[in-house]
Amino acid sequence: MPRLNSLRGRLILLVALAIAPMAAMTVLTGVREREHAIDVARENLQRVANLAAANEAQSIEGARQILRDLSSIPDLLENQEDCSVLLSDILSKNTDYVNFGLIQLNGDVTCSAVSSVGMVNLADRAHFRRAIAERRFIAGNYIFGRVIGKHTINLTFPVIKNGDVKAVLFAAMDLVELDKFVLDVQLSPGSVLWTVDAGGTIISRRPDPASWFGKPIPAELRPALATRPKVPVLLTGDDGVQRLYAFARVGKPDISEYTVVIGIPYDEIVAAATQDQLIAVVGLVVTITLALLAAWFGGDLMIVRRMQALVRTADRIASGSLDTRTGMRYEDEEISGLARSLDEMALALQKKEVERDAAAASLQAADRRKDEFLAMLAHELRNPLAPISSGAQVLKMAHADNPAIARTAEIIARQVEHMTRLIDDLLDVSRVTRGLVKLNRQPLDLRTVVEDAVEQAYPLFKSKRQQLELDIPHAPMGINADHKRMVQVVANLLNNAAKYTQEYGHIRVALQRDGALVRLVVADDGIGMAPELVARVFELFTQAERTSDRSQGGLGLGLALARTLVTLHGGTLRAESAGPDQGSAFTVELPYDETPVQAGPGGAQPAGAAAVRPGKLRCLVVDDNVDAAQTLALFLEAGGHLVHVAYRATEALELARAHAPQLCFLDIGLPDIDGNQLARQLRALPQTADAQLVAVTGYGRKEDQEKSIAAGFDQYFVKPMDTAKLVHLLSLLTPDTVQ
């Protein structure tokens, strides 16, 4: 066993070993004292509850004796006036009660110590009916007296003559008087005492009895009240105070069904034990402190000081001060060796820090350039896509009667839309792969998705003269998914298969239903994958080795995006390959959806001139890209609108003053002043103060959009423009009559 070379370490270890048993005994003793205090409190509390219940039972027993004696008076049922006088005399001698009375079998009170204005009928009182049915003394539940107008309990006793119940005597006890029978029960501050009837209604309470009469006992006490546990239980009241509650029945079952409940705050019960524990802990802390001080100062001060110097040096190095050194002389002993190692480590870290800072600066610059490049790339790619998209729409509107041209225009528009989506994915690939894409899910037929994806990928198959085999069933393959995103998934799988399959190769697409799943398999006889590539093929930027006949390349994003999108749809995507040159297979499994399939994006009628209301708008198109400006103008003119085109902001302002356009399409990146500044100037002109301003730009970031809206734009379109959205906007703005 290695020996301890530090004196301080040896002393501290010895102190810890010596104090550990003491600390354990202190904790154990404290726990036992607390448990003992709780046990003693339970016994005393139950005894107090039984005493309070006995006192109240004695008062109720007195009432039963009075009623029994009254029931034996022969003339009680004969003369109502004499009966009332007798009961009034008894009431004056028993101040605990507020009324005595006689109830006939029909419920009418014919004799009462307290006179009432009219006839009182108590046939609905449960205690009255029970006294007749059970032929015995009954202590009723809480009631508010109809005659006396006070909180009471009614104690009833049947009058039996010749074996038959002739009437029922009752004594109404004031709950304020009932409460005095437990006044001799001493309760500590924060304690509570209830007496509740069989229905859980409070008939006595300390403290503050008057405000509690007739109210239900707190809900947290009801389960325990129903069982009346013989041992007090710990519960938290409605005031948030944790108390130990004891339950005791008031008298035997033939006396009452009342229960006395007493609760004492738990903190008060364990207060003494807690104080003893605190004293013991303080003593233990003091003992440990003195022992550690002795161990500390009993060591070699020189060793302690030198070790502290080393610790301070290490802390400064850890905080980033790599030029810190120990300043110690290196001698032939352990601490000097540690100091030498610490200084050498600081020197090495200082050199590494310089190298790391240089590398970090280089990475930050590269990342900044990458972001700037991607933003500019998206802008420059969207600019040529905008005139292509608008031109396709113009062709479609101008040659709607020519199926071939209309079909070609639809294909162009669809491919432009797909290209736009790829640009968006390239700019925010991390968002897609982390599952932050918003899906527009609806019932779809997966067969239609496959057909649209094949249409996108077909040019690649054709260029490589590959054979595509489709095994698609006749029955619908229903799924609940985003049409565009699912087309993107299948198209990525088809493009991947085409890229990694040689010329004249074979690609097979099979679609089938398997119980609650719909399964899509894209298989090829291409170059295949090694096992290690199969394991990571869905990672970002992962690609197989390029070959001379595979010039299509790619960024390694397609499969990663596909898998993420499938997962977001609640499905799975897996890859399989028997090895190099054995082909590959990708299997998509999605939950089957029986919801009737609605018309997909391809089946809806395209919005066109028919969707626009009669009339025309005066439009101004401002874009330094001549093709984009002219194609947008052609699209607007095809819809019957009057269009003026400007390629610079100064030209736009002149046209605005001359023609007062109602709708202005402004490019943001203009050569003289940007579109945001132009929008502000147009808002300042009386001719265009109320015009609709639409931003048309290749920048699609959120901050760019917010900046343009703040400049006064009403709408924000990212190139290429969504023509359906544009047509909808035109339909809203077009006046009903030509101006």
Side-chain angles (χ1 to χ4, degrees):
M1 178 179 178
R3 63 188 182 90
L4 297 175
N5 293 325
S6 170
L7 177 60
R8 185 177 65 178
R10 291 178 180 178
L11 292 176
I12 291 176
L13 179 60
L14 290 175
V15 169
L17 292 176
I19 293 177
M22 184 188 305
M25 289 300 299
T26 300
V27 174
L28 181 61
T29 301
V31 172
R32 289 184 175 179
E33 288 181 357
R34 182 181 290 265
E35 292 177 350
H36 177 70
I38 295 175
D39 291 340
V40 172
R42 281 196 170 100
E43 295 178 2
N44 293 337
L45 180 60
Q46 191 63 54
R47 186 162 46 250
V48 171
N50 293 337
L51 175 62
N55 289 345
E56 292 188 358
Q58 184 177 2
S59 67
I60 297 175
E61 177 63 34
R64 181 170 69 167
Q65 187 61 44
I66 293 174
L67 294 177
R68 180 187 292 115
D69 293 343
L70 287 173
S71 68
S72 63
I73 297 176
D75 299 334
L76 187 67
L77 302 176
E78 301 298 331
N79 189 298
Q80 179 177 348
E81 183 176 352
D82 293 342
C83 174
S84 297
V85 172
L86 174 62
L87 295 183
S88 178
D89 181 61
I90 294 175
L91 178 62
S92 64
K93 297 176 181 179
N94 293 271
T95 59
D96 297 339
Y97 303 91
V98 293
N99 196 13
F100 286 91
L102 183 69
I103 311 173
Q104 299 299 326
L105 295 183
N106 63 355
D108 290 338
V109 178
T110 58
C111 177
S112 175
V114 179
S115 61
S116 60
V117 177
M119 179 65 68
V120 178
N121 187 283
L122 301 180
D124 60 332
R125 299 296 196 190
H127 57 82
F128 164 69
R129 297 195 301 271
R130 288 185 60 192
I132 296 175
E134 301 179 22
R135 302 166 65 90
R136 68 178 181 87
F137 172 78
I138 298 296
N141 292 343
Y142 162 85
I143 59 173
F144 188 79
R146 297 177 181 175
V147 176
I148 59 177
K150 292 185 178 180
H151 303 280
T152 64
I153 53 173
N154 274 9
L155 310 173
T156 55
F157 195 90
V159 179
I160 302 175
K161 300 293 184 180
N162 299 324
D164 295 327
V165 177
K166 300 298 183 179
V168 175
L169 282 166
F170 75 87
M173 178 178 286
D174 190 346
L175 295 186
V176 176
E177 298 298 328
L178 175 65
D179 194 59
K180 74 179 184 180
F181 289 101
V182 292
L183 289 178
D184 57 344
V185 178
Q186 299 299 320
L187 298 178
S188 58
S191 300
V192 292
L193 184 150
W194 282 288
T195 304
V196 296
D197 62 18
T201 303
I202 298 172
I203 59 177
S204 175
R205 207 268 190 184
R206 290 178 56 197
D208 191 22
S211 63
W212 286 88
F213 289 151
K215 295 183 179 179
I217 195 168
E220 57 272 8
L221 300 181
R222 287 184 176 275
L225 180 65
T227 58
R228 290 196 192 100
K230 296 182 179 180
V231 178
V233 294
L234 192 63
L235 299 171
T236 301
D238 57 353
D239 56 358
V241 178
Q242 194 176 38
R243 294 184 177 89
L244 194 65
Y245 287 93
F247 300 81
R249 184 186 186 116
V250 178
K252 297 180 181 179
D254 62 339
I255 293 296
S256 77
E257 297 178 1
Y258 303 156
T259 304
V260 171
V261 183
I262 301 179
I264 299 178
Y266 179 76
D267 291 341
E268 179 183 337
I269 295 173
V270 298
T274 301
Q275 184 177 5
D276 293 341
Q277 280 184 301
L278 180 61
I279 295 174
V281 170
V282 170
L284 180 62
V285 170
V286 171
T287 302
I288 294 174
T289 302
L290 293 176
L292 291 177
L293 288 175
W296 183 275
F297 290 106
D300 187 353
L301 294 179
M302 291 301 296
I303 294 177
V304 171
R305 291 175 182 175
R306 298 180 73 188
M307 290 298 297
Q308 288 176 341
L310 292 177
V311 169
R312 287 194 296 269
T313 302
D315 289 341
R316 286 195 294 269
I317 293 173
S319 65
S321 300
L322 300 181
D323 57 346
T324 303
R325 300 293 183 268
T326 61
M328 291 185 180
R329 295 177 57 187
Y330 302 147
E331 299 177 359
D332 188 15
E333 43 94 16
E334 291 83 357
I335 295 180
S336 294
L338 179 59
R340 181 186 299 106
S341 299
L342 196 60
D343 289 342
E344 292 175 353
M345 179 190 70
L347 180 60
L349 288 175
Q350 192 173 15
K351 293 180 179 179
K352 293 290 186 182
E353 179 74 8
V354 173
E355 297 174 358
R356 185 186 66 82
D357 289 344
S362 177
L363 287 175
Q364 289 177 355
D367 187 63
R368 184 171 59 255
R369 289 193 299 269
K370 179 262 295 180
D371 291 341
E372 293 172 354
F373 167 75
L374 288 179
M376 184 57 64
L377 175 63
H379 179 268
E380 294 303 320
L381 288 177
R382 286 188 176 116
N383 274 333
L385 288 177
I388 295 174
S389 176
S390 298
Q393 294 299 327
V394 172
L395 283 175
K396 189 174 182 181
M397 295 169 63
H399 300 278
D401 55 345
N402 189 324
I405 295 179
R407 175 66 173 167
T408 302
E410 289 180 359
I411 294 174
I412 294 174
R414 191 157 50 247
Q415 296 304 319
V416 167
E417 180 182 0
H418 178 63
M419 185 63 181
T420 303
R421 187 170 61 251
L422 292 179
I423 294 172
D424 293 338
D425 289 344
L426 177 62
L427 286 174
D428 199 8
V429 65
S430 63
R431 176 180 62 88
V432 177
T433 54
R434 284 183 287 129
L436 301 180
V437 178
K438 293 183 179 179
L439 300 178
N440 182 21
R441 302 181 70 164
Q442 59 182 333
L444 300 175
D445 188 345
L446 188 54
R447 299 179 304 170
T448 304
V449 173
V450 172
E451 291 172 358
D452 292 344
V454 168
E455 180 180 306
Q456 289 187 13
Y458 183 74
L460 184 56
F461 297 141
K462 185 177 180 181
S463 65
K464 299 186 71 173
R465 295 179 286 278
Q466 294 167 338
Q467 295 185 19
L468 177 64
E469 178 184 349
L470 297 178
D471 184 6
I472 299 178
H474 295 292
M477 297 286 106
I479 58 174
N480 187 276
D482 186 312
H483 181 271
K484 293 182 180 180
R485 290 301 183 180
M486 285 310 303
V487 170
Q488 182 181 0
V489 169
V490 181
N492 284 350
L493 296 179
L494 293 174
N495 289 335
N496 183 77
K499 292 175 184 177
Y500 291 98
T501 300
Q502 64 279 4
E503 289 190 0
Y504 303 104
H506 297 80
I507 298 170
R508 181 174 180 269
V509 179
L511 183 61
Q512 62 180 1
R513 178 183 173 187
D514 184 6
L517 297 175
V518 175
R519 182 178 295 112
L520 171 68
V521 180
V522 178
D524 61 67
D525 56 1
I527 65 174
M529 294 181 287
E532 59 271 15
L533 180 58
V534 174
R536 59 184 182 86
V537 71
F538 294 111
E539 297 177 2
L540 281 173
F541 310 115
T542 298
Q543 293 179 304
E545 182 179 357
R546 293 177 180 266
T547 59
S548 58
D549 63 340
R550 196 192 141 257
S551 60
Q552 296 297 327
L555 298 178
L557 300 177
L559 293 181
L561 295 178
R563 187 176 197 177
T564 301
L565 291 173
V566 170
T567 303
L568 290 176
H569 283 86
T572 59
L573 173 57
R574 63 178 183 272
E576 299 172 304
S577 178
D581 300 323
Q582 300 296 316
S584 303
F586 292 84
T587 303
V588 177
E589 291 183 342
L590 294 166
Y592 176 73
D593 187 4
E594 297 181 355
T595 306
V597 177
Q598 302 174 359
Q605 279 293 81
V612 182
R613 289 178 290 176
K616 61 182 179 180
L617 293 169
R618 296 187 301 276
C619 302
L620 174 63
V621 176
V622 186
D623 198 328
D624 60 331
N625 186 315
V626 177
D627 292 339
Q630 290 181 354
T631 51
L632 178 56
L634 288 173
F635 180 83
L636 295 172
E637 289 172 350
H641 303 288
L642 179 62
V643 184
H644 296 278
V645 179
Y647 305 109
R648 300 175 67 87
T650 53
E651 299 175 14
L653 291 172
E654 294 176 1
L655 291 174
R657 294 188 185 96
H659 301 286
Q662 301 162 293
L663 178 60
C664 301
F665 296 89
L666 310 181
D667 183 26
I668 300 299
L670 295 173
D672 42 3
I673 61 174
D674 67 15
N676 293 329
Q677 184 61 31
L678 176 58
R680 294 188 182 94
Q681 295 187 23
L682 289 175
R683 286 293 183 209
L685 292 178
Q687 295 88 341
T688 53
D690 298 325
Q692 277 281 324
L693 302 186
V694 180
V696 182
T697 177
Y699 297 107
R701 297 179 304 175
K702 183 179 180 181
E703 52 267 31
D704 295 326
Q705 181 175 354
E706 292 174 350
K707 184 177 179 181
S708 295
I709 296 300
F713 281 101
D714 300 294
Q715 304 289 333
Y716 193 91
F717 282 75
V718 178
K719 295 179 180 179
M721 298 178 66
D722 185 337
T723 54
K725 182 179 177 182
L726 174 58
V727 169
H728 178 67
L729 174 62
L730 293 172
S731 68
L732 295 177
L733 299 178
T734 303
D736 293 333
T737 59
V738 180
Q739 297 183 4

